[in-house]
Amino acid sequence: MLRRPGWHPGPGDRWHPVGSLEEAARLLPELGRRVFLTTGRLGLAAFAHLTRLHFVVRSVEPPEPPLPPDVELLLDRGPFTVDDERALLRAHRVDMVVTKDSGGAATAAKLTAARELGLPVVVVRRPPLPDGVTAVPDVAAALARLGLSPR
């Protein structure tokens, strides 16, 4: 399986790792009131019952219901810079970030911005690999595992 290496907290990070979107939703009321939710448009139902929180959701395409009752939808496509993410977090007065551990650098700018602003980040861990499945971090490693060489 091709799987980018996951993210790891660094100095100054205030991460709260959880195992599911539902677990993330249970934790949010303890952390703040204004959430930058970056878990993808298909998982928003897990947060639909949270009536006392304001959600800022960024998505390439509009999500389908159910959605949280107080949601601000931003239709946009990355990649985003740390400056972009810092500006977004400040402009929307976000006080916590929720994300899935997708790994890689393309979406990591929000983590740097959250660290710089001292915001807590709820990180939904990846599910474990099934028994007998090996992960490789990139295409070159996948080709090498198969005994092939890149062209």
Side-chain angles (χ1 to χ4, degrees):
M1 171 185 277
L2 183 60
R3 189 178 201 182
R4 291 185 298 255
W7 294 322
H8 298 283
D13 283 330
R14 296 176 53 204
W15 284 17
H16 301 267
V18 297
S20 68
L21 294 174
E22 293 74 19
E23 189 178 345
R26 286 192 298 274
L27 183 61
L28 295 187
E30 300 173 23
L31 297 177
R33 294 287 175 247
R34 300 183 64 84
V35 183
F36 183 37
L37 186 58
T38 67
T39 58
R41 66 183 181 90
L42 300 178
L44 299 180
F47 304 92
H49 68 284
L50 296 171
T51 59
R52 296 182 182 215
L53 301 178
H54 175 79
F55 290 88
V56 176
V57 174
R58 183 172 58 208
S59 180
V60 174
E61 297 179 24
E64 294 184 18
L67 303 174
D70 185 2
V71 65
E72 188 173 353
L73 183 60
L74 308 175
L75 296 179
D76 206 354
R77 179 186 304 271
F80 302 99
T81 67
V82 173
D83 288 340
D84 294 335
E85 300 294 57
R86 189 183 316 105
L88 181 147
L89 295 173
R90 284 183 173 150
H92 294 277
R93 300 183 332 273
V94 166
D95 57 16
M96 69 180 121
V97 175
V98 180
T99 190
K100 289 181 182 176
D101 180 3
S102 61
T107 58
K110 64 185 162 228
L111 301 173
T112 302
R115 177 186 316 115
E116 290 177 0
L117 296 173
L119 301 180
V121 179
V122 177
V123 180
V124 181
R125 292 184 303 265
R126 297 172 177 193
L129 290 172
D131 288 339
V133 174
T134 301
V136 294
D138 53 39
V139 173
L143 292 172
R145 177 128 174 110
L146 295 170
L148 304 171
S149 60
R151 295 182 188 243

